[in-house]
Amino acid sequence: MRANAPPRGSSGFFAAFAVSCLGYALAPGAPVLARGMLTLLAVPLLAGLVVQITQRPNRSLAYRFFVAFLACGLPMAGYALFSMLALQSRFAVSMGGDARLAVAFLIAPAYGVLAGCLAGATASLSRKGAIR
Amino acid sequence: MSLFLEERDDGGFGLYLDGDLQFDTADEAIYHECLALPALCLARALRPESDRSLRALICGGGDGLALRECLRFPDVRHVDLVDYDPEVVALGRTRFAELNGNAFADPRAAVHIADAWDFLRPEAAYDVALCDFTTPRHPEEARVFTREWYTRIGDALAPEGVLAINGLSPQCAPEAFWCLVRTMQSAGLHVLPFRACIPSFRDAGYGVWSFFLAARFPLPHALLRDLRCPVPTRQADLRRLARAARFSRAERRLRCTVPVHTLEAPCLLPLLLNPGLTPSPKSREVFAPAAGGPDPDYDLRPLLGAIPVLHPYYSRAMLTYVAESVVGAVGTLDLYRLLDAILHRAAELPAALLTELRRLRGFLSEQLPGLENLGAWGNRLFCALVILMTIANTIAPDSAFGKGSFGLGHASVSRGYAGSFSGGRGFSAPSSRAGTGSFQGQPGFRGARSAPGASSSFRGTPGYTGMPQSFGADRVVTSGFRTSYGRGHAVDIYGNVYSQRSFTYNASFNASFDVHSVHSMPVGGGTHGTVPPSGATPSTPHQALFIAADDLLVLDNGDIVITLSPTGYLLVSGGRIALMSATAPAPLLPLYANPAVLARIREQLQYQQMVAQREMEIRRDWLNWVGWTAALFEVVQADRREMRSLTDLNRHLMTALERLSAPAEAPAPEMLPPGAVELFAECTLLPDGRITLRRADGRRIFTDGRHLWTEQLAARQKCPPELSTLLKGVLVKLEREFEADLARNANDARTAAGELRTLEYDLREYESIARSNPDDPNYSVDYGTDSVGVSDAIFRTQQEIQATIAQQDRLKAEEAQRATELERLRAARTAFLP
């Protein structure tokens, strides 16, 4: 039963995940504007393209979207979270530190969702043979 | 056996054997007097008056303190002390010699390094025997608390001999306490226990302590009531012994429930280690020794070698001993028997409870089939949380764990900047006191002054300490810029809010400096600084906006104030410095604007600006991430406000820096006579008691508090009362500061003396070890947290001793200098009486 199941095609996920991680690893050194463009535009687009290319054409759009969403959204959320935690720790006045931590934990998933949606939308662009 | 000596600053110390407190010098007399004197008194009372000479035996007690008590007793003619630990006896002969009155040198004392068990002979016929053993922590140590031991020592007593025993705590281990009573009784002894409260034992968590008197004959309470001691006691009150020997019925009832501790059926340790355990007769077999025991072939050394020993109090030997004890204790456990005992107890559960438990199990397996998975998910979640917290803690170290922080992060003490004008003074090592950034002005002053300028301020005293409206004393709350900046309160860079303070002075001061000041008045006559000249610009109050250091304030118009005393301050504006009175808006005296002073102010402001800019940069980054959520989160709105406040502060600091311009020319530094004490920038107390101030034109004026004169003109002018009051205020504050310095110096000297004693003791120890191992100079010893060769340890300790002696010399020199300067200040203050 399990042997007859179609292969899951997870290599696309890992490739997109690796691209995202690489992109977010480069981001901290960039200027503010370039960083924003890189993290919220370039990396999600690139990750989405990677998923689109590596997935089989017979995959559903929803499946592609979900794979790209996870592959880009998770690193983005992690990057946002650790960036905000690092910034928070550098504040000389630690007043409101707990509230900032809460904000960081709430905002980071939002960034992840944003980047993930962009990557997912890119990945689910119609290709020949894709199941709608 | 591990031995640890904890020395205190007051010269006292406590001895720990295997981690257990044996005595503390503060109250050791209570312990040893309670142990020795009642037995000696009792034995003496039972002897005929014609022959009251006593023979005593002390088992244990290698420290010599029980021996001291015995030898204090006039009727004692011979004492045998038997202890198996030569190390403790060696300490008794050396380190404790002063404490035990050099008891080992007494000809009546005979010391035997042997096992007390083997030493005892039935024919010895001692009149008094004292058992001063440590509380057992190991089965082997509990041997001298068995019935067999008490039988043996009872046989070694004379028919009217008395036995005194160091007991246990009837408060913390009542079962073990009564077990000992019952054990002694089973050995044919009559026992009289009594309590004693020993503060150091109580503080160590041992509770109320106890001692036992035992003999072959009955010991009624009346004996204790009528006890007469021929020697005075120091701390123990023997008149209360009879009362201390009373135990309630409930307490005495416990004796019937505990077993007897014998070699074949040892039970003392379980009772001692499990207070509250009331064994039933059935459970006695649980105390029986388990078969087997620890595997003798198992080598612990590789495992123990891998454990780092970092604490200065704990040596590797102690760790090894504890680990072996644990392995030994675990090895003696009979798990099968333990399981049987647990199952036996489980079977005693009420049937109804068992039925309910079975129903619960069935319900869970039917209704919640995924419950087992929940455990697995819980493990995963826990692992993920641990990893997340580890990473988060790496990014943002938590100061609560003492890891501190980098830069200005968090609320740890590392926030203080050592090179600033504040902080640092007196809190660190004595050597770090001097030169932490003073405004001593010219290099030529450095030799002439010491303490005040070497402190952390522009003048000797820290800013507002002791002032009615003191920034230092009136720090209100730590709430950040968001609530306070620009709202009338002064703040520092960390958001600490200080009480409101304003300075009113003549606005034209900045423009021309051409005011009715003392410099135009003194010798040629005229008005002094309190009366404004006709047509002068009206005075304007200026709020203190920012505290750059304890005594360095930035006003809202960018001018800078250096606080001196409650009655005066220095105003720095436009590259000029003026001495101001708090009661007059016009400058008392324009002072020479020393370029070095201005440079230090500039340096401080630039540092504060750098900190502000760094904070702004961090907040900007933070707001880039979360700024769009300001409508949702209050903290983000607050961060935005704080960002605006920081921007405004940065602008004010820039204004202050622009207004702080250096003077065009910098004359050569002046040399002041030796022994002069700088009061503040350009103001010095001379050795003859006069005070000199350097005017804006570089020339000096002199005052003795009553008159003013210059070098050029000998004619004297009356000193303005504002100036006299201001200078006196500075002298008073400096005097307090010097007194505090002296007190700190004395404290440092005491600490250094304590360190020296410890080092000398360590050196003697190392030398003793080296003598014991003459063929191996690299014999490994503990040196702090390291293990080094003994020769290396001796060398390092000698170096440390030399360094400590040098430090003591330096402290003495500083103390002498400060004392001289303090005397000079006092004399000057007296001369400045209004």
Side-chain angles (χ1 to χ4, degrees):
Chain A
M1 182 73 179
R2 188 174 177 78
N4 295 332
R8 299 174 68 183
S10 57
S11 59
F13 169 80
F14 286 116
F17 188 82
V19 165
S20 303
C21 289
L22 188 66
Y24 293 130
L26 295 173
V32 176
L33 188 62
R35 199 188 319 162
M37 298 290 285
L38 185 70
T39 54
L40 287 175
L41 202 63
V43 173
L45 287 177
L46 202 58
L49 281 174
V50 169
V51 171
Q52 192 193 46
I53 291 165
T54 52
Q55 289 293 311
R56 290 194 184 82
N58 58 353
R59 289 290 184 195
S60 69
L61 291 181
Y63 183 85
R64 285 186 193 175
F65 181 90
F66 188 63
V67 168
F69 179 85
L70 285 183
C72 185
L74 286 177
M76 178 64 198
Y79 165 66
L81 180 64
F82 288 120
S83 298
M84 285 189 274
L85 286 179
L87 281 171
Q88 198 271 340
S89 74
R90 291 170 61 198
F91 277 49
V93 180
S94 56
M95 189 79 182
D98 296 339
R100 284 197 200 96
L101 270 181
V103 169
F105 276 98
L106 286 172
I107 299 297
Y111 277 106
V113 168
L114 191 66
C117 285
L118 189 57
T122 310
S124 58
L125 284 175
S126 177
R127 280 186 74 198
K128 189 179 177 182
I131 301 167
R132 290 181 182 276
Chain B
M1 176 178 288
S2 74
L3 190 149
F4 174 62
L5 207 61
E6 185 185 41
E7 296 194 344
R8 296 191 301 270
D9 288 342
D10 61 0
F13 57 86
L15 173 69
Y16 292 79
L17 293 182
D18 291 339
D20 271 347
L21 177 65
Q22 299 303 302
F23 68 81
D24 190 301
T25 51
D27 53 17
E28 56 83 17
I30 302 178
Y31 176 97
H32 293 102
E33 286 173 353
C34 283
L35 175 67
L37 295 185
L40 288 165
C41 292
L42 214 53
R44 179 175 180 269
L46 294 169
R47 301 277 297 177
E49 285 193 15
S50 55
D51 178 19
R52 281 190 163 169
S53 60
L54 301 173
R55 287 184 70 239
L57 166 72
I58 301 173
C59 301
D63 49 38
L65 300 176
L67 180 62
R68 173 197 65 195
E69 295 301 324
C70 285
L71 295 176
R72 227 155 52 87
F73 217 77
D75 302 309
V76 171
R77 65 178 166 84
H78 181 79
V79 184
D80 281 321
L81 187 148
V82 52
D83 196 314
Y84 75 96
D85 191 343
E87 201 176 357
V88 178
V89 175
L91 272 178
R93 290 183 191 277
T94 54
R95 180 70 176 85
F96 306 149
E98 189 180 348
L99 192 62
N100 62 33
N102 215 4
F104 289 99
D106 194 300
R108 292 176 289 168
V111 180
H112 311 272
I113 307 295
D115 190 335
W117 189 283
D118 302 328
F119 180 80
L120 285 184
R121 295 284 177 269
E123 65 276 10
Y126 289 105
D127 300 306
V128 174
L130 310 180
C131 292
D132 191 10
F133 294 124
T134 56
T135 304
R137 294 279 182 251
H138 193 272
E140 184 64 22
E141 293 172 354
R143 194 169 57 119
V144 287
F145 292 87
T146 57
R147 180 169 60 193
E148 290 79 359
W149 163 257
Y150 293 122
T151 307
R152 204 174 174 84
I153 197 166
D155 293 343
L157 286 175
E160 291 175 343
V162 181
L163 175 63
I165 297 158
N166 162 36
L168 301 166
S169 171
Q171 182 187 14
C172 296
E175 294 83 9
F177 171 82
W178 289 107
C179 169
L180 275 189
V181 173
R182 191 144 182 250
T183 303
M184 281 185 264
Q185 287 174 335
S186 72
L189 295 170
H190 295 265
V191 187
L192 190 56
F194 61 91
R195 301 183 183 90
C197 185
I198 304 170
S200 60
F201 279 30
R202 184 194 57 207
D203 294 345
Y206 301 161
V208 173
W209 205 245
S210 73
F211 298 91
F212 300 104
L213 287 172
R216 291 283 184 197
F217 51 88
L219 291 171
H221 278 78
L223 276 179
L224 293 180
R225 203 164 43 238
D226 302 332
L227 212 59
R228 295 286 176 271
C229 186
V231 294
T233 57
R234 289 183 297 159
Q235 290 182 327
D237 187 357
L238 299 185
R239 289 171 303 177
R240 296 188 178 181
L241 272 186
R243 193 172 175 184
R246 285 187 197 147
F247 288 85
S248 69
R249 185 173 295 172
E251 285 176 301
R252 279 181 278 135
R253 198 180 296 136
L254 202 57
R255 188 185 53 182
C256 306
T257 64
V258 293
V260 173
H261 178 53
T262 64
L263 281 177
E264 289 184 353
C267 60
L268 184 64
L269 268 185
L271 292 173
L272 192 60
L273 299 175
N274 301 282
L277 176 68
T278 49
S280 63
K282 274 186 182 177
S283 65
R284 278 183 203 173
E285 59 187 28
V286 174
F287 298 130
D295 182 1
D297 297 330
Y298 188 81
D299 188 5
L300 275 175
R301 281 173 298 181
L303 176 65
L304 295 175
I307 300 174
V309 180
L310 299 175
H311 197 281
Y313 282 5
Y314 304 136
S315 65
R316 185 164 293 283
M318 290 173 73
L319 175 72
T320 307
Y321 180 81
V322 170
E324 285 174 352
S325 300
V326 171
V327 170
V330 173
T332 55
L333 284 180
D334 187 341
L335 290 177
Y336 293 105
R337 189 178 291 180
L338 180 65
L339 195 60
D340 284 344
I342 291 171
L343 290 174
H344 180 69
R345 293 297 307 278
E348 292 173 1
L349 285 172
L353 183 58
L354 285 175
T355 310
E356 290 300 319
L357 286 173
R358 287 198 186 98
R359 283 183 61 192
L360 178 63
R361 187 181 61 184
F363 172 80
L364 290 176
S365 55
E366 285 172 14
Q367 303 295 325
L368 298 169
L371 196 64
E372 291 172 1
N373 292 335
L374 196 63
W377 275 104
N379 286 340
R380 289 176 196 171
L381 181 66
F382 180 72
C383 289
L385 277 176
V386 167
I387 292 168
L388 180 67
M389 293 310 295
T390 307
I391 295 171
N393 206 19
T394 309
I395 294 171
D398 187 352
S399 58
F401 291 99
K403 292 194 287 287
S405 179
F406 51 88
L408 299 168
H410 297 291
S412 67
V413 291
S414 61
R415 185 187 290 172
Y417 34 93
S420 73
F421 298 93
S422 61
R425 181 176 173 79
F427 290 102
S428 54
S431 57
S432 66
R433 268 189 206 164
T436 52
S438 72
F439 267 71
Q440 53 191 10
Q442 303 175 31
F445 279 30
R446 194 178 296 274
R449 60 187 305 284
S450 58
S455 78
S456 54
S457 58
F458 290 90
R459 34 141 201 88
T461 54
Y464 279 90
T465 310
M467 289 181 66
Q469 284 190 327
S470 162
F471 284 124
D474 289 356
R475 191 160 74 181
V476 180
V477 67
T478 307
S479 55
F481 290 104
R482 66 187 65 158
T483 55
S484 52
Y485 182 82
R487 297 186 182 188
H489 291 283
V491 296
D492 64 14
I493 193 64
Y494 304 110
N496 294 319
V497 184
Y498 297 78
S499 57
Q500 192 171 1
R501 181 78 196 266
S502 65
F503 296 86
T504 303
Y505 54 89
N506 196 325
S508 67
F509 165 78
N510 296 322
S512 64
F513 235 82
D514 183 19
V515 290
H516 55 289
S517 57
V518 178
H519 82 289
S520 61
M521 164 277 297
V523 188
T527 60
H528 64 70
T530 55
V531 182
S534 58
T537 312
S539 305
T540 314
H542 294 284
Q543 295 284 338
L545 189 74
F546 180 67
I547 313 291
D550 272 356
D551 51 1
L552 184 66
L553 319 178
V554 178
L555 304 184
D556 53 7
N557 63 344
D559 283 349
I560 293 158
V561 161
I562 301 167
T563 59
L564 298 178
S565 74
T567 53
Y569 59 93
L570 292 178
L571 182 64
V572 184
S573 178
R576 298 177 180 185
I577 302 175
L579 182 62
M580 306 289 292
S581 168
T583 56
L588 273 179
L589 178 69
L591 291 175
Y592 171 65
N594 193 320
V597 174
L598 295 179
R600 297 300 295 267
I601 297 174
R602 176 177 293 280
E603 185 185 320
Q604 177 65 15
L605 291 182
Q606 282 173 340
Y607 177 81
Q608 298 287 338
Q609 193 184 27
M610 185 194 73
V611 174
Q613 286 172 348
R614 183 174 172 275
E615 282 291 301
M616 287 167 61
E617 186 185 338
I618 296 167
R619 269 170 182 74
R620 197 176 294 121
D621 267 2
W622 168 255
L623 289 172
N624 281 339
W625 278 106
V626 301
W628 56 277
T629 62
L632 299 173
F633 302 111
E634 174 63 28
V635 69
V636 180
Q637 290 175 25
D639 283 334
R640 279 191 162 177
R641 284 198 299 274
E642 196 152 340
M643 180 72 187
R644 284 196 291 274
S645 297
L646 281 167
T647 311
D648 190 57
L649 170 67
N650 187 41
R651 191 167 48 80
H652 272 98
L653 286 174
M654 285 184 73
T655 308
L657 281 167
E658 284 168 9
R659 293 169 76 95
L660 188 75
S661 54
E665 53 186 36
E670 282 188 343
M671 295 300 291
L672 287 171
V677 181
E678 185 184 16
L679 303 181
F680 52 86
E682 307 307 331
C683 177
T684 309
L685 173 65
L686 297 172
D688 58 4
R690 294 173 303 156
I691 289 178
T692 174
L693 295 114
R694 199 177 183 193
R695 299 192 313 196
D697 57 8
R699 286 185 291 180
R700 290 199 166 272
I701 61 170
F702 298 88
T703 177
D704 57 4
R706 295 177 180 81
H707 299 95
L708 277 175
W709 66 95
T710 64
E711 287 167 329
Q712 289 77 25
L713 297 172
R716 296 191 170 202
Q717 170 98 16
K718 191 176 178 224
C719 182
E722 288 86 355
L723 182 62
S724 174
T725 308
L726 189 153
L727 292 175
K728 190 193 168 195
V730 173
L731 288 170
V732 168
K733 287 183 67 61
L734 270 180
E735 195 179 318
R736 288 184 198 156
E737 184 77 5
F738 274 41
E739 285 167 352
D741 272 347
L742 278 173
R744 268 194 293 268
N745 214 311
N747 191 39
D748 290 342
R750 276 196 299 275
T751 307
E755 285 174 7
L756 190 61
R757 276 198 304 273
T758 308
L759 287 168
E760 286 169 349
Y761 175 73
D762 288 347
L763 183 62
R764 284 197 297 273
E765 287 289 302
Y766 290 137
E767 286 171 347
S768 163
I769 294 171
R771 278 196 298 274
S772 308
N773 301 276
D775 301 329
D776 186 8
N778 291 322
Y779 183 82
S780 181
V781 293
D782 287 334
Y783 182 82
T785 57
D786 298 334
S787 286
V788 300
V790 66
S791 56
D792 190 19
I794 289 173
F795 175 73
R796 289 194 201 183
T797 311
Q798 285 170 340
Q799 295 284 316
E800 283 191 49
I801 287 174
Q802 285 173 5
T804 309
I805 291 171
Q807 183 190 355
Q808 279 184 319
D809 294 343
R810 191 173 61 247
L811 286 171
K812 279 179 191 165
E814 283 180 9
E815 188 179 356
Q817 188 180 356
R818 277 170 175 71
T820 310
E821 289 172 347
L822 182 61
E823 286 305 312
R824 205 166 286 148
L825 278 175
R826 280 179 180 152
R829 178 174 58 83
T830 311
F832 270 78
L833 282 172

